[in-house]
């Protein structure tokens, strides 16, 4: 996996989350049109950089921008 591609995919995920309160992995995958591995790497990068946070509510994992 190329780091430039991870950054590009991360930007796609970030742009989607800018316009939504929260998304599940499946929702992000449908909206981003990314393969599971590509989405995981993008989310891992964004979470590590503290640009996106992951949280669980009622046994469902969500992703959102920090408050």
């Amino acid at each position: 996996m190329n780091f430039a591609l991870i950054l590009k995919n991360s930007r796609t995920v970030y742009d989607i989350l800018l316009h939504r309160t929260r998304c599940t992995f499946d929702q992000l995958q449908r909206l981003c049109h990314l393969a599971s591995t590509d989405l995981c790497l993008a989310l891992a990068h964004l979470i590590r950089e503290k640009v996106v946070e992951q949280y669980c509510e009622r046994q469902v994992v969500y992703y959102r921008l920090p408050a």
Side-chain angles (χ1 to χ4, degrees):
M1 178 58 65
N2 179 325
F3 187 65
L5 182 58
I6 293 171
L7 289 177
K8 178 182 173 282
N9 292 340
S10 296
R11 182 63 190 189
T12 300
V13 172
Y14 178 78
D15 288 344
I16 287 171
L17 289 173
L18 272 176
H19 303 288
R20 297 182 176 269
T21 305
R22 65 184 185 183
C23 286
T24 65
F25 187 90
D26 290 338
Q27 290 169 330
L28 281 172
Q29 194 168 23
R30 282 193 302 274
L31 293 166
C32 295
H33 307 288
L34 294 174
S36 295
T37 302
D38 293 334
L39 180 54
C40 281
L41 290 169
L43 285 168
H45 172 73
L46 291 167
I47 292 167
R48 183 175 51 242
E49 296 295 320
K50 297 183 181 359
V51 175
V52 167
E53 61 185 19
Q54 178 185 48
Y55 72 101
C56 185
E57 182 179 297
R58 297 184 185 157
Q59 298 184 329
V60 177
V61 176
Y62 293 99
Y63 300 90
R64 66 181 177 198
L65 300 182

